[in-house]
Amino acid sequence: MKYKYIIILFVIGVIITIFGALLKIIHFEIGPLTGNLILTIGMFTKIIAGIIFIVKLLSNNGNDFLNK
């Protein structure tokens, strides 16, 4: 997986988290989707992106990414 896909996954997680926070602030529900559920999904998406990023850095020793 390329670094740009990991960054895209992280940004999607940020967008989902912001949307969940907005739903929680205005106390709005979209069917079964509540602010708490969307916040949880967004956080897990960011955690998965972070774990993939760390594994990729450790497997490549960071040579191509950190020297650019």
Side-chain angles (χ1 to χ4, degrees):
M1 179 177 272
K2 293 184 179 182
Y3 288 109
K4 67 179 179 180
Y5 297 127
I6 298 171
I7 294 171
I8 290 171
L9 185 64
F10 187 78
V11 169
I12 289 171
V14 168
I15 292 170
I16 292 171
T17 304
I18 291 172
F19 183 66
L22 176 68
L23 289 181
K24 193 158 178 67
I25 288 170
I26 62 174
H27 303 290
F28 192 71
E29 295 179 4
I30 303 172
L33 296 177
T34 62
N36 289 332
L37 179 65
I38 295 176
L39 278 171
T40 304
I41 292 170
M43 289 295 178
F44 276 121
T45 305
K46 291 191 291 186
I47 289 170
I48 290 170
I51 290 171
I52 292 171
F53 182 71
I54 290 170
V55 167
K56 186 147 177 83
L57 273 179
L58 292 177
S59 66
N60 290 339
N61 295 328
N63 290 336
D64 4 329
F65 182 73
L66 296 177
N67 290 331
K68 286 185 180 180

